[in-house]
Amino acid sequence: PVDEKFANHMDKAAARNYLAIPQSQDVFLVMSGGIGVGNAGAICDEILRRHSGAFTVYILVGRNSDLKQTLEEKYAGNEHVRIVTFTKKVNVYMNAADVMISKPGGLTSTETFVQRVPLVAVHPIEGVESNNAEYMARNGLAACPETNEELSATVNRMLDDPSVSETMLQNQRRLIPKNA
């Protein structure tokens, strides 16, 4: 089960207004979980290297102060990157995003599906998360690239062809109960 706030969808424009995010840019949400795990820096680097135009990458680092400090030092002065520490507004960030990038953990994935956000699931932990990724890919719930280079191509394809994300969202609506 997920927190009830994830079932209460906020439209993208309202979420961006609430978070003071410009409407006319691509928004990438990179989630590293409440304890801040995963390779968020490498994911961000790949997006920065391959994406152009108006965009921002929001990296949610949870409570991981070391990761926060590392990323803040690495991206100091970069107008395209915002580091966000633990927040109770994850659902609002999800609603504001064009694409969410996260490990395929059970809770975060379910929250994403209930929110109806296009998901790119990366870097699964062998075992349950790799099984989650296989299920998601097989059922069209998320894109599951195996490398950061594939991740970039996948994200760009989702932004260039809205039908890719829309098909994913239709599969989420079909398979994941709104009140999970």
Side-chain angles (χ1 to χ4, degrees):
V2 300
D3 190 294
E4 184 177 349
K5 68 183 176 185
F6 289 94
N8 299 320
H9 185 78
M10 180 183 287
D11 77 18
K12 188 179 293 187
R16 289 185 180 193
N17 281 338
Y18 183 81
L19 296 169
I21 298 172
Q23 299 292 331
S24 60
Q25 65 175 245
D26 295 329
V27 174
F28 303 95
L29 179 61
V30 178
M31 296 275 297
S32 62
I35 58 171
V37 297
N39 201 347
I43 292 168
C44 186
D45 288 345
E46 193 63 28
I47 294 169
L48 290 170
R49 193 164 65 83
R50 298 195 179 230
H51 198 71
S52 60
F55 72 97
T56 303
V57 180
Y58 289 85
I59 306 174
L60 276 61
V61 297
R63 291 186 169 96
N64 188 327
S65 58
D66 291 338
L67 178 60
K68 174 186 181 282
Q69 181 177 347
T70 298
L71 294 175
E72 283 180 341
E73 289 171 5
K74 182 175 185 174
Y75 300 113
N78 189 317
E79 66 182 15
H80 295 291
V81 180
R82 301 288 180 269
I83 312 302
V84 180
T85 57
F86 182 83
T87 177
K88 293 187 177 188
K89 298 181 181 355
V90 171
N91 60 314
V92 183
Y93 279 96
M94 286 181 176
N95 282 215
D98 292 299
V99 178
M100 182 166 144
I101 303 162
S102 179
K103 291 172 12 61
L107 184 57
T108 298
S109 298
T110 305
E111 290 168 347
T112 305
F113 299 150
V114 168
Q115 283 288 105
R116 309 298 190 231
V117 179
L119 175 63
V120 179
V122 295
H123 307 298
I125 295 172
E126 190 58 41
V128 69
E129 287 187 357
S130 56
N131 291 337
N132 288 349
E134 287 176 27
Y135 176 83
M136 292 175 201
R138 184 174 58 248
N139 289 286
L141 296 168
C144 300
E146 294 186 21
T147 67
N148 286 338
E149 292 78 19
E150 289 177 22
L151 173 131
S152 271
T154 300
V155 167
N156 287 335
R157 187 171 47 255
M158 292 169 75
L159 293 173
D160 292 343
D161 182 359
S163 70
V164 174
S165 293
E166 186 51 42
T167 298
M168 190 180 295
L169 298 176
Q170 288 172 1
N171 290 331
Q172 291 173 3
R173 285 189 289 276
R174 182 174 52 86
L175 291 172
I176 307 297
K178 183 66 176 160
N179 295 314

